[in-house]
């Protein structure tokens, strides 16, 4: 596989993730951990199906404990928080807070060996912060008290995913096939948490069932495999910069589907967050090979 092909595959993950919000909201009132269990089980099955005819693929599960901790901790921790956020907070605001993760990836990666925090990283971080503050300041009607936990969960989720992504870059030797194991382990943990904390609520309409299946196949399934391939074999600079288009696309899909209302505040916040990310990732795009 050429770097160009791997980069294109990685870009499909960004497109799929931009549909995560609208698909999650379309699943109805399924409890967060139950939804995570259902969709990650489907996502894991997607990976297992690619093992057909490749007996050696199962060996990818033989990884050190730290690899499993990073893989399962990142997937389970992030999505449990994200699904929770979309259940309690307005989807557009929760989505934009959550999509600080591309900016955080740039900031966190700058502290890795051989990297440094430059002025444009700081400028990008400040613009992203201004964008998130605008979400609160621009809501003149105020957030309902019950929405606060969801907004906090969305913010923490951004940190979890950024940490997972940066640590994954240090585990390049781990094959993409291992992601199937991470998904199935995440589904198991989510099912346990669901049994302890939640009451089962099954989808009530055909649209909700189809949304669950589509969520598991795409944003909570194929996207992880595509991102893994892109990060390990493609142009990471291009993929990092392209990630900042996700909040704009995600909010647009929410508005188009009728789950959020267009407003100047959301538009300006989205531009600030995306623009801050692009500035912070300047060296990822302009740095010479």
């Amino acid at each position: 596989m050429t770097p160009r092909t791997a980069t294109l595959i990685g870009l499909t993950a960004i497109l799929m993730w931009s549909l995560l919000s609208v698909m999650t909201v379309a699943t109805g009132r399924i409890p967060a951990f139950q939804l995570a269990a259902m969709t990650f089980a489907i996502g894991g099955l997607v990976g297992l199906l690619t093992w057909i005819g490749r007996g050696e693929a199962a060996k990818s599960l033989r990884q050190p404990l730290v690899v499993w901790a990073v893989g399962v901790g990142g997937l389970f921790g992030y999505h449990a928080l994200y699904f929770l956020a979309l259940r309690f907070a307005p989807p557009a605001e929760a989505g934009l807070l959550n999509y600080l993760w591309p900016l955080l990836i740039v900031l966190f990666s700058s502290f890795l060996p051989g990297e440094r925090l430059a002025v444009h990283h700081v400028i990008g971080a400040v613009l992203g912060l201004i964008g998130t503050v605008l979400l609160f300041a621009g809501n003149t009607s105020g957030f309902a008290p019950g929405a606060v936990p969801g907004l906090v969960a969305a913010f923490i989720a951004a940190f979890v995913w950024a940490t997972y992504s940066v640590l994954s870059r240090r585990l390049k030797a781990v094959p993409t096939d291992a992601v199937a194991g991470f998904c199935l382990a995440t589904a198991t943990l989510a099912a346990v948490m669901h049994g302890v904390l939640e009451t089962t609520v099954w989808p009530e309409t055909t649209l909700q069932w189809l949304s669950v299946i589509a969520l598991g196949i795409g944003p909570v399934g194929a996207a992880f495999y595509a991102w893994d391939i892109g990060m390990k074999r493609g142009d990471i600079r291009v993929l990092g910069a392209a990630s900042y288009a996700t909040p704009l696309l995600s909010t647009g899909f929410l508005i188009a589907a009728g789950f959020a209302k267009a407003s100047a505040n959301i538009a300006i916040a989205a531009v600030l967050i995306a623009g801050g990310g692009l500035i912070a990732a300047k060296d990822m795009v302009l740095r010479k090979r």
Side-chain angles (χ1 to χ4, degrees), residues 95-120:
L96 285 169
L97 278 173
N98 170 72
Y99 284 123
L100 282 170
W101 62 260
L103 176 60
L104 293 174
I105 287 176
V106 174
L107 295 178
F108 290 173
S109 64
S110 68
F111 292 102
L112 292 172
E115 300 289 343
R116 65 184 181 83
L117 189 64
V119 175
H120 61 275

Side-chain angles (χ1 to χ4, degrees), residues 56-83:
E56 75 283 357
K59 297 180 181 179
S60 65
L61 300 182
R62 299 174 183 174
Q63 300 295 333
L65 182 60
V66 65
V67 173
W68 281 93
V70 171
V72 179
L75 296 184
F76 176 73
Y78 170 76
H79 284 87
L81 288 166
Y82 187 64
F83 288 147

